[in-house]
Amino acid sequence: MMAYNYQNSAKQFDQKFNFNKSEQLALNNGFKVVLDASAYNGRYFIKDGRKWIHNISALKRQFCITDNSKLEQMGYHIDAYFETH
């Protein structure tokens, strides 16, 4: 895994990756790209040690859980999701 500071070399990074709307929202909210071959689209976004959530309903289904606090315990940024969606 490699953290990438998008803000410092945005032009170079943009040439390599196309960000969807949710990914752009993560970047605009201070999350950094982490390249990870096992992640969806080969990358995830992290801020303050917690991961960006693209779709909370789909994430809960993936892990077969109903409680947001479980996602928080798993390292997802619940507050950022509800502040931006």
Side-chain angles (χ1 to χ4, degrees), residues 19-75:
F19 296 113
N20 65 34
K21 192 174 185 178
S22 178
E23 292 171 328
Q24 191 61 55
L25 187 58
L27 293 169
N28 292 344
N29 282 280
F31 283 75
K32 293 187 178 172
V33 177
V34 176
L35 303 179
D36 181 349
S38 66
Y40 181 73
N41 283 338
R43 58 190 178 252
Y44 63 90
F45 300 79
I46 196 158
K47 177 180 173 182
D48 300 329
R50 295 185 289 168
K51 294 178 185 174
W52 175 255
I53 299 171
H54 297 283
N55 180 324
I56 199 165
S57 298
L59 190 61
K60 286 179 184 180
R61 280 192 306 273
Q62 177 183 348
F63 292 117
C64 300
I65 59 175
T66 58
D67 188 355
N68 289 344
S69 66
K70 296 281 186 191
L71 292 177
E72 188 78 34
Q73 292 169 3
M74 295 168 70

